[in-house]
Amino acid sequence: MTHLADNIILLLAALMLVGVLSTKLSTRFGMPALVLFIAAGMLLSRFVFFNNASLTQVAGIFALIVILFEGGMQTSMKDIRPIIAPALSLATIGVLLTTAIVGIFARLVLDVPWAESLLFGAIVGSTDAAAVFSVLGGKNIDKRLTSTLEAESGSNDPMAVFLTVSLIEWIQHPNTAVWSLVLSFIWEMGIGLFMGIAVGKLAVYLINRINLDSTGLYPVMAIGFAVLTYGLAVTVHSSGLLAVYVMGLTLGNSELMYHRTIMNFNHGFAWMMQIAMFTLLGLLVFPDELAEIAWEGLLLSVILMLVARPVGVFLSLLFSRFSLREKTLISWAGLRGAVPIVLATYPLLAGLPHGQLFFNVVFFVVLTSAVIQGTTISPLASRLKLVGKDDAQPSLMELVALGKTDSEFNHIAIDKHMPIAGMQIAQMGLPDDILFTAIIRNKNIVTPHGSTVIEPGDTVYVLSPKSKRDEMRSIFRSGKGKAAESNIPMV
């Protein structure tokens, strides 16, 4: 048993490292990282048998909570307020039209009853923000377009979930009245919206007033509130995903202590959950089964990309101020991702006759959408002349944090045995490109000057070129600005 546990831990470590390194490949080729995570899962399925759809669904929902919470926190209300109407139109009318059109063709291609073909359309009805922005992140696309896509993807997931659950209910209980489904929709969205705002405001109040022993606990507390939001929302039969997204919006647009710490934690945690979720989803599919439905999946994927999504976008944005070129890009940027695959587990768990067929075809549709659309969005944006020159200058902290500069920040704890303890900064002969940016002393920030004395117990923050890391360390070892070996631990 211990040997098995060790192997599982080793496998998880390999998956995380491969997942992180694969993001470099996805950036280079303009392909969403989810494709590589799924491929890793499919490769593992050759060696590890895994068919637990229930566990995968739970893991997928938890991952979606983290991803939507992070997306909400990153969304600026100032940016989405002007485009809230077209975004909501895309998230409702657009999803309904996509569901109907894909459902009609699924009836013909998959030869399933009408209710089940519409269920298939609902499953693939929502877009994936993480996939879109992973390929558009380096492009200076008009803010109105990116904000619209972001708001749409955050709000159309609940619509797809509602349609999927309602259609499964209708298939299992054909006598369900349509008016009850309409009332259920109003309740789910309305209460979900209210729950997200209410818990969000409560979270802001408590985070700003509770004095925790470690700053690292605040991000954990924020994630806890996100999960609580989902749990409370679904308990009263409302939209948990909408509640989580709105809760994230509330936190991200409020005056919040440790906002940057929470954001950085969420970003890394969301990536980890994506890796875990897509790998598990990849394990549920066997390549041989995908080959059997290749032509059906490819045909439905083409219909979704070239017919259903464009029709849904152009009709739902009929009265908007978007130009033809902008609507074209919005149509093509409708990548499918996490939500459709997670929703595809619902028919499996409900025991529907075509549950496994739907899962395999949805999986194929998501893969082809990510590969074909993901690699062509950026070139299309450039061809449509929707990419401008990026005049915005990122801050130094952003550049360093994103690894887009040759410099780095280090912070070093000073003890009484270090030669620089008791020295003035001016006495050290620092090179021009090695700067002391701040000193933490007795929980207070001290601005460094030439006459500032470094004292034992201080934590010194240093900005230096990566190429001069050894020289910077030698200063702390010898107290002089000359290169030398050092064993000072850097954190």
Side-chain angles (χ1 to χ4, degrees), residues 217-229:
L217 292 174
Y218 288 96
V220 179
M221 187 178 184
I223 288 290
F225 273 113
V227 178
L228 176 65
T229 302

Side-chain angles (χ1 to χ4, degrees), residues 35-363:
V35 175
L36 300 174
F37 303 154
I38 288 175
M42 292 174 65
L43 180 63
L44 283 173
S45 69
R46 292 281 189 178
F47 309 99
V48 179
F49 179 76
F50 179 83
N51 65 346
N52 194 329
S54 179
L55 174 62
T56 303
Q57 187 183 89
V58 172
I61 291 174
F62 185 80
L64 290 176
I65 292 171
V66 176
I67 293 167
L68 282 175
F69 175 58
E70 188 218 4
M73 283 205 67
Q74 288 184 342
T75 302
S76 169
M77 283 300 298
K78 181 183 68 174
D79 292 332
I80 69 169
R81 193 172 288 115
I83 51 82
I84 192 68
L88 289 178
S89 181
L90 284 169
T92 53
I93 299 173
V95 172
L96 285 171
L97 290 170
T98 301
T99 297
I101 295 171
V102 173
I104 292 171
F105 283 96
R107 172 76 174 86
L108 302 173
V109 175
L110 301 178
D111 191 25
V112 294
W114 277 110
E116 293 188 37
S117 67
L118 290 174
L119 172 62
F120 178 86
I123 290 173
V124 297
S126 66
T127 58
D128 187 82
V132 172
F133 289 103
S134 68
V135 296
L136 285 183
K139 296 289 186 178
N140 184 30
I141 306 295
D142 181 78
K143 192 66 179 176
R144 201 164 56 108
L145 283 175
T146 56
S147 297
T148 300
L149 290 167
E150 185 174 335
E152 177 204 6
S153 60
S155 53
N156 68 6
D157 294 344
M159 183 68 177
V161 172
F162 168 78
L163 289 175
T164 299
V165 173
S166 297
L167 285 167
I168 291 176
E169 175 75 13
W170 189 29
I171 292 169
Q172 294 179 326
H173 304 93
N175 295 326
T176 302
V178 175
W179 64 266
S180 67
L181 297 179
V182 174
L183 291 178
S184 176
F185 172 77
I186 296 173
W187 171 268
E188 286 196 22
M189 299 305 160
I191 300 301
L193 179 65
F194 170 78
M195 196 72 72
I197 295 174
V199 180
K201 289 187 177 297
L202 175 64
V204 171
Y205 178 84
L206 292 177
I207 290 173
N208 286 341
R209 282 163 177 77
I210 291 181
N211 186 19
L212 299 176
D213 293 334
S214 171
T215 57
L217 292 174
Y218 288 96
V220 179
M221 187 178 184
I223 288 290
F225 273 113
V227 178
L228 176 65
T229 302
Y230 181 88
L232 291 176
V234 297
T235 299
V236 295
H237 305 289
S238 64
S239 175
L241 295 182
L242 177 62
V244 168
Y245 181 71
V246 173
M247 183 264 188
L249 269 176
T250 305
L251 255 69
N253 291 273
S254 301
E255 292 292 334
L256 191 66
M257 286 183 62
Y258 303 106
H259 188 281
R260 176 62 61 181
T261 302
I262 293 172
M263 289 286 290
N264 289 340
F265 176 86
N266 288 347
H267 189 64
F269 193 36
W271 270 109
M272 189 171 73
M273 293 310 302
Q274 284 191 69
I275 293 172
M277 174 179 61
F278 285 118
T279 303
L280 278 177
L281 292 169
L283 281 169
L284 276 182
V285 172
F286 297 95
D288 294 341
E289 294 181 356
L290 287 184
E292 293 175 2
I293 51 88
W295 81 266
E296 293 97 332
L298 183 60
L299 180 57
L300 288 171
S301 183
V302 170
I303 290 168
L304 175 61
M305 290 186 287
L306 298 182
V307 181
R309 170 68 178 178
V311 170
V313 168
F314 276 82
L315 289 181
S316 59
L317 296 181
L318 193 61
F319 302 104
S320 71
R321 297 181 179 180
F322 287 106
S323 66
L324 176 62
R325 291 182 294 118
E326 290 172 330
K327 291 177 183 177
T328 301
L329 183 63
I330 293 174
S331 299
W332 193 246
L335 273 72
R336 268 53 193 175
V339 176
I341 303 181
V342 173
L343 289 181
T345 63
Y346 283 49
L348 276 176
L349 295 176
L352 297 187
H354 299 98
Q356 188 62 52
L357 171 65
F358 281 5
F359 185 87
N360 291 337
V361 177
V362 168
F363 205 94

Side-chain angles (χ1 to χ4, degrees), residues 26 29-32 35 131-132 134-136 305 332-333 335 367-379:
S26 70
F29 295 106
M31 185 185 300
V35 175
V132 172
S134 68
V135 296
L136 285 183
M305 290 186 287
W332 193 246
L335 273 72
L367 277 179
T368 52
S369 170
V371 172
I372 297 173
Q373 291 176 293
T375 55
T376 55
I377 287 177
S378 293

